[in-house]
Structure formats: C-alpha cells, structure tokens
Amino acid sequence: MASYAPAAGSGAAGSVWRRAVNARPWLAGYALLSPILVLMLIMMVAPIAALILMSFWTQSGFEIDTGFTLANYWKLIAPSEATTYWMGVPFPFENPVYAILLAKSLVIALVCTVFVLLLAYPMAYYLAFRVTRRKMLWLILITIPFWTSYLLRVFSWKITLGFNGAINTGLKSLGLIDEPLEFLLYNPIAVEITLVHAWVAFAILPIYVSLEKIDRSLLEAATDLGDGPWMRFWRVTLPLSAPGTISAALLVFIPTVGDYVTPTLVGGPSGTMVGNAIQSLFGKQNDLPLGAALSIVMMLVVTLLVCLFLWLIGFRRMRAKTG
Amino acid sequence: MHRTPIPFGLYAILFLIFLYGPILLMPIFSFNDSIFATFPLKGFTLRHYENMVKEVRLLEALRNSLTVGVTVAVISTALGLLGAMAATRYRLPGRGPVFGSIMLPLVVPSIIFGVAILVILRRIFNIELSLLTVGAGHVLLAVPFAMLVLISRLEGFEKSLEEASADLGERPWMTFWRVTFPLALPGIVSSLLLCFTISFDEFVLAFFLSGTDQTLPIFLFSQLRFPQRLPATLALGSSILFVSTIIVVFSEILRRRGLAPGRPSEL
C-alpha cells in the first residue's frame, strides 16, 4: 500500500510518529484528513452546537437572556382551544403559523420530489440505455444548469411567469389571451415549478449511475425467460436502480424543505415556507432563540421522516442486495 | 434491445427545452431594446450592458466575489486533495460516519448553516461579519464537492504507480509531487473550477454571513426589488450565466476525460 505518511522532522517526535504510523497505517490517513476535520469542527459542529444552545435561551429586546429554558420549543407547540385549519387539517396550537409552515414545506418538498423523480427517471434511462454516441455531451448538457446560479434560475422563472412575464406577454402577442393570466406567479404552484426545475438536473445523475451499473446480461436473461419490456423493467431494472433513485429523492427532499430563496422570489404571501419564517426570525423579527428552536425542530422532523422512510422500505437490505 | 413504444428522443428534447427555456430568456431579454422583460421583442441593443458596467457597486461586488471565489477554490481543493488521498489510499476505521458527516453540507439546507454560523460568530465570539466569514462558509460547502471530484480521479489510476515510485526509493513527498500530483492534475483543475463556481454563485450563506461588503449574488438580489433596474439585472445575470457555463463546461470535460465509460463518476 502506498503511503503518504508525511516525512516528519527528524528527532524524537518524528521517530515516535513514524513508529506509530508503522503500527497503525490509518493514523497517516487521519493525519491527511485532519485539516478537513478541523474545518468541520469549526464551521459545522461548533455552530450547530451553538444553535442548539441558543434555542434554550430567550430574547428580550436586543439582549439575550442566557438562562436555560424550554420556552421557545413550547412556543412552537403550545396547544390552544382555538384550532386553526390548514388544508382541512386541524392545528390546535397557540402559534399555529410555525407548525403550518413546517407542514406546508414538507408537503411542497414531497410533491417536488415526486415530480422530480417522474421527470428525471426517463431522462436517466434514456442516457443510460439509449444514448450511445456523444454521451459526454449529453451528460454535460444535463449538468450545466445545476452548477449555474440557483438565484438566477429562480429569477428566470420570475420573468417567465410574471404578470408581465414571458408567458403572458408571449400568449398575448400571439393573440391567444386578452388579459394576463394572474395565477402563474406568487403561489405554491409557482414555487413547485421553480423547485422542480432547480432540482431535476441534479436528480438525473445518481439515477443514471445506478442504471449504468446494471449488468446488461441480467436484462438479456429476463428477456430470454420470456419477460416483455415492461415486465423486465418492473422486475429487473427498477429494483436494481432503486438505491440511486432513493438517493436522488433524499438529495432533493431534504434541502428543499429548508429552501427560502424560491418562496421569497416567486411564492408571494401564499407560497411562504418554513425557511422564510426562520430567516425572518433571524432578521426583521429579531428573535434569534425562537429562530434557532424552529431550525432545530425542522431538522429533527426531516431527519425522523427520512429515517422512517428508509426503515419502511428496508433500504439496508436493498443496498446489500444490489451492491 | 427492444424498441419501446415511448419515443425517448422526443422526451429528451422536451426535457432540455424545459431545462434551458426559462434560463435562456434572460440573455434574450438582456439584448432587447426595452425596459421590460416582455414579448414581442423590440430590437437589439447593448445599452443594458453599457449601463451595467457603469455601476460602481456592481464592480465592487464583482471584485469581492472573485477574491472570495479564488480563495475558496484554492483552499477547498487543497483540503479536498488531502481528504481524497486519505479516502483512497488508507483503510480508515470509522470511515462511514466520518465521510458521512463531511458530505452533510451537500444535503442539509444551507439556511441551517447560515443561521448556525451566524449565531456562533456574532453571539458567541462577537466576530464582525466580512468577506472572510463568507469565504469560510463557502469552503464548508465546497469541500465535499472537491473531495468527490478528486476521489473519483485518484481511484481512476493505479496505486501501483505510487508503489513503484516508493519502491524505487522516492521519499513520500517526492512521490506525491512526481507521481500523484501530475496524475491528479485534471481532477485538481476541475475541482478548482467547480469550487470557484460554487462560491461565485452561492447566495444563502453569503446572505447571512456577509457584512458591508457585498458579493455579486447579494448585489443581484438587492437589485431584484427595483423594477427600473430590471434591464441591468438581466444583463448582469446573463453575464454571470455565461461565465459560469464556460467554467463548468471546461471543468466537466476535464473531469470526465480519462474516466472509463463503464465507471461513471458519482456526480
């Protein structure tokens, strides 16, 4: 095995290090990894710890009271006699806005994930099984939009869907409509379209990789044993590509729950999500501890849902089977 | 292979139209001789671009973004290279959880990191926000990408080349410079370009972590509120899009070249 063990300076320390590395080669591996681990510690672990700590404090005016309290979490779930309804579901909370925004964000992210998979899967399938020439060109064409500014992609939907946007003025100049369609922008549907567009290119890649890995002889075997194309897809291709598809789903779902650029730019009042509430608590409303508590509740809920989902579908077994 | 009834080629073309259609409207309207982003088009003009480059605050923001982007690219790629060497050349105990946590920024919503880093900087250590804090945040986001690119590059060539060098008596450091580094170079350049784009286009962390010095996306966002600035914003957006695209295409070509077709990289 090649070794990158740093040639430590001469002297006692150097020889101690060399002996330790000879006994445990992985020490050198961790030595290489240490700058990243330090970065993670400073920029991820410590800040998240601080956020958790902050969620147990309270804000009074511009000062922060550092006495330990669960008041922020209570504020998020405190029950109330008066029940607020959202989409027919009762939210019997004193401050129902946070629970409702969280539920709404989860629903929006879920719908977005479903549409992204429905659109991305055929494209990944096409790339993996149909495209034979210029595969790299296709892959690059698919990848470019993901790497270009998220902000700009959202902005481009704003000018597409707006009251005086491309669709409305385009249809008008074609004589198809007289008045601009007002339902295009500033609602949850605009948020969904923008989110699906933002993520669909990204979701193709993990699905494509898992399709590409499928042993082609398995497909031939299925055909030889009498499966038609649909049966073969259902019984061989789809199960074998499930790990990549599920990874894609999670890579879309989790960040989407916390998105706030899209709802800010194209959501309007009816399209706000929990990310807007967090941003506002850290900004205008200036209640950092409550914002911290809301952020943590959001992460906990998402983590729990994801774990539950993976457990329900038996993800471990699936991965073990398909390699 | 069977012929399937679904015309996949048609679907692929519609898909590309959906993917690129709205994005391409921006450059189209940016050359349109009108202050609105509306059809029908009025005529070709470059004046929106002329107005754009006259904007002093925009040029400042551009300079800030370039500085942060280049610094982030270099640091993230250096860290990513070390991490990729650790990942590909050593059997590390606790590998799963460690690499899992390094990849977390790929999944966790940026707003969480934005507020968390904001809290620790401002409320616990009382550090002023600046381009430095933006850069530090961007390094956190870029390192996982750098590592993924470089891991697939380092896995792509034989370890035996390094072993041969070591067997022939090269010291580890010289093996790195004379074997590993040149072989990894396309991956390194690709990672530099990718990390630069990530930082250059990043909005959410910059929104929470920047002080008085704006980065380009922050400036752009501040302009979106003013309808009268729309043409200049369109011109700016198109320029950013153009530069990012060139960088990404170049980076992708470098990254995918030399990878065996049967072994597509993970990203």
Side-chain angles (χ1 to χ4, degrees), chain B residues 122-174:
Chain B
R122 296 295 297 128
R123 297 289 156 157
I124 312 246
F125 293 121
N126 199 21
I127 297 171
E128 283 298 318
L129 297 177
S130 65
L131 291 179
L132 213 63
T133 51
V134 176
H138 285 178
V139 170
L140 180 75
L141 293 190
V143 157
F145 284 106
M147 245 177 97
L148 287 176
V149 169
L150 289 163
I151 284 175
S152 74
R153 182 71 207 176
L154 290 184
E155 275 175 350
F157 63 85
E158 290 290 323
K159 263 189 273 190
S160 55
L161 291 171
E162 288 167 353
E163 283 163 357
S165 159
D167 289 346
L168 291 170
E170 286 281 39
R171 297 174 63 92
W173 186 238
M174 287 307 283

Side-chain angles (χ1 to χ4, degrees), chain B residues 172-213:
Chain B
W173 186 238
M174 287 307 283
T175 298
F176 173 80
W177 275 120
R178 298 182 32 168
V179 181
T180 315
F181 187 78
L183 283 170
L185 196 57
I188 291 172
V189 176
S190 167
S191 160
L192 284 171
L193 295 173
L194 218 51
C195 293
F196 175 81
T197 337
I198 290 171
S199 164
F200 195 73
D201 286 337
E202 206 283 335
F203 170 71
V204 177
L205 275 186
F207 180 77
F208 283 101
L209 300 179
S210 62
T212 44
D213 290 329

Side-chain angles (χ1 to χ4, degrees), chain B residues 6-260:
Chain B
I6 306 164
F8 268 112
L10 181 68
Y11 178 76
I13 288 166
L14 289 177
F15 187 93
L16 286 184
I17 292 175
F18 170 66
L19 205 55
Y20 281 91
I23 305 177
L24 290 179
L25 284 176
M26 218 178 331
I28 291 174
F29 286 134
S30 75
F31 292 115
N32 187 25
D33 195 1
S34 155
I35 55 162
F36 303 111
T38 55
F39 286 118
L41 299 173
K42 294 276 194 292
F44 182 83
T45 178
L46 284 176
R47 92 188 134 96
H48 302 323
Y49 286 87
E50 283 163 21
N51 291 337
M52 177 185 83
V53 293
K54 276 185 226 148
E55 184 88 46
V56 181
R57 281 177 46 228
L58 183 148
L59 297 178
E60 262 168 36
L62 174 66
R63 202 190 49 209
N64 292 340
S65 270
L66 289 175
T67 319
V68 174
V70 170
T71 318
V72 168
V74 171
I75 295 176
S76 311
T77 303
L79 293 180
L81 183 60
L82 293 176
M85 292 197 301
T88 51
R89 301 299 189 257
Y90 294 92
R91 206 169 293 154
L92 300 171
R95 183 193 172 95
V98 168
F99 281 84
S101 13
I102 293 177
M103 295 301 154
L104 269 183
L106 292 179
V107 191
V108 177
S110 308
I111 192 170
I112 296 286
F113 290 120
V115 295
I117 298 170
L118 183 71
V119 162
I120 200 168
L121 289 179
R122 296 295 297 128
R123 297 289 156 157
I124 312 246
F125 293 121
N126 199 21
I127 297 171
E128 283 298 318
L129 297 177
S130 65
L131 291 179
L132 213 63
T133 51
V134 176
H138 285 178
V139 170
L140 180 75
L141 293 190
V143 157
F145 284 106
M147 245 177 97
L148 287 176
V149 169
L150 289 163
I151 284 175
S152 74
R153 182 71 207 176
L154 290 184
E155 275 175 350
F157 63 85
E158 290 290 323
K159 263 189 273 190
S160 55
L161 291 171
E162 288 167 353
E163 283 163 357
S165 159
D167 289 346
L168 291 170
E170 286 281 39
R171 297 174 63 92
W173 186 238
M174 287 307 283
T175 298
F176 173 80
W177 275 120
R178 298 182 32 168
V179 181
T180 315
F181 187 78
L183 283 170
L185 196 57
I188 291 172
V189 176
S190 167
S191 160
L192 284 171
L193 295 173
L194 218 51
C195 293
F196 175 81
T197 337
I198 290 171
S199 164
F200 195 73
D201 286 337
E202 206 283 335
F203 170 71
V204 177
L205 275 186
F207 180 77
F208 283 101
L209 300 179
S210 62
T212 44
D213 290 329
Q214 291 181 316
T215 62
L216 208 50
I218 302 293
F219 174 78
L220 188 84
F221 186 75
S222 72
Q223 300 297 296
L224 295 184
R225 269 174 298 169
F226 307 110
Q228 72 273 23
R229 303 260 174 81
L230 183 68
T233 311
L234 287 168
L236 173 60
S238 311
S239 314
I240 296 176
L241 217 53
F242 181 70
V243 175
S244 302
T245 305
I246 289 187
I247 293 177
V248 172
V249 169
F250 194 59
S251 152
E252 286 287 307
I253 290 174
L254 273 176
R255 187 158 71 85
R256 293 183 191 277
R257 203 170 52 186
L259 287 177

Side-chain angles (χ1 to χ4, degrees), chain A residues 1-5 7 25-26 28-30 32-33 35-37 39-40 42-44 46-48 50-51 53-54 57 59 62 64 118-120 122-123 125-126 129-130 136 138-153 155-160 164-167 169-170 173 193 196-197 200-202 204-206 208-209 212-213 216 219 223 229-230 232 250-251 254-255 257-261 264-265 275-276 278-279 282 286 288 295-296 298-299, chain B residues 1-6 8-9 11-13 15-16 18-20 22-23 25-26 29 37-40 79-80 82-83 85-86 89-95 98-99 101-102 104-109 111-113 115-120 123-124 133 136-137 139-140 143-145 147 154 159 162-163 171-172 176 180 194 197-198 201 203-204 207-209 217-218 220-221 224 230 233-234 237-238 240-241 244-245 248-249 252-253 255-257 261-262 264-267:
Chain A
M1 182 175 278
S3 158
Y4 291 103
W26 54 265
Y30 269 104
L32 286 171
L33 212 50
I36 295 190
L37 296 179
L39 171 80
M40 293 292 142
I42 299 175
M43 295 303 290
M44 190 162 80
I48 299 286
L51 192 70
L53 192 64
M54 171 74 87
W57 295 347
Q59 181 102 27
F62 283 101
I64 290 211
L118 286 177
L119 289 174
M123 195 62 206
Y125 188 92
Y126 176 72
F129 291 113
R130 292 293 187 277
M136 191 161 107
W138 273 100
L139 283 173
I140 292 178
L141 266 180
I142 296 292
T143 330
I144 293 170
F146 179 73
W147 291 116
T148 53
S149 164
Y150 182 66
L151 186 64
L152 286 178
R153 281 178 286 155
F155 174 57
S156 67
W157 278 104
K158 200 178 153 103
I159 58 173
T160 307
N164 275 317
I167 291 185
T169 56
S173 63
I193 295 175
V196 168
H197 179 257
V200 73
F202 187 59
I204 290 175
L205 294 160
Y208 165 76
V209 170
E212 189 73 40
K213 267 196 220 149
R216 299 302 196 262
L219 300 176
T223 311
W230 284 107
R232 188 185 62 184
L250 297 183
L251 283 172
I254 304 173
V257 177
D259 189 50
Y260 90 102
V261 178
T264 304
L265 286 179
N276 299 89
I278 294 175
Q279 196 265 321
F282 276 87
N286 195 34
L288 277 58
S295 312
I296 285 157
M298 176 183 99
M299 279 324 291
Chain B
M1 280 275 163
H2 277 269
R3 270 180 164 271
T4 44
I6 306 164
F8 268 112
Y11 178 76
I13 288 166
F15 187 93
L16 286 184
F18 170 66
L19 205 55
Y20 281 91
I23 305 177
L25 284 176
M26 218 178 331
F29 286 134
T38 55
F39 286 118
L79 293 180
L82 293 176
M85 292 197 301
R89 301 299 189 257
Y90 294 92
R91 206 169 293 154
L92 300 171
R95 183 193 172 95
V98 168
F99 281 84
S101 13
I102 293 177
L104 269 183
L106 292 179
V107 191
V108 177
I111 192 170
I112 296 286
F113 290 120
V115 295
I117 298 170
L118 183 71
V119 162
I120 200 168
R123 297 289 156 157
I124 312 246
T133 51
V139 170
L140 180 75
V143 157
F145 284 106
M147 245 177 97
L154 290 184
K159 263 189 273 190
E162 288 167 353
E163 283 163 357
R171 297 174 63 92
F176 173 80
T180 315
L194 218 51
T197 337
I198 290 171
D201 286 337
F203 170 71
V204 177
F207 180 77
F208 283 101
L209 300 179
I218 302 293
L220 188 84
F221 186 75
L224 295 184
L230 183 68
T233 311
L234 287 168
S238 311
I240 296 176
L241 217 53
S244 302
T245 305
V248 172
V249 169
E252 286 287 307
I253 290 174
R255 187 158 71 85
R256 293 183 191 277
R257 203 170 52 186
S265 67
E266 285 291 332
L267 258 175

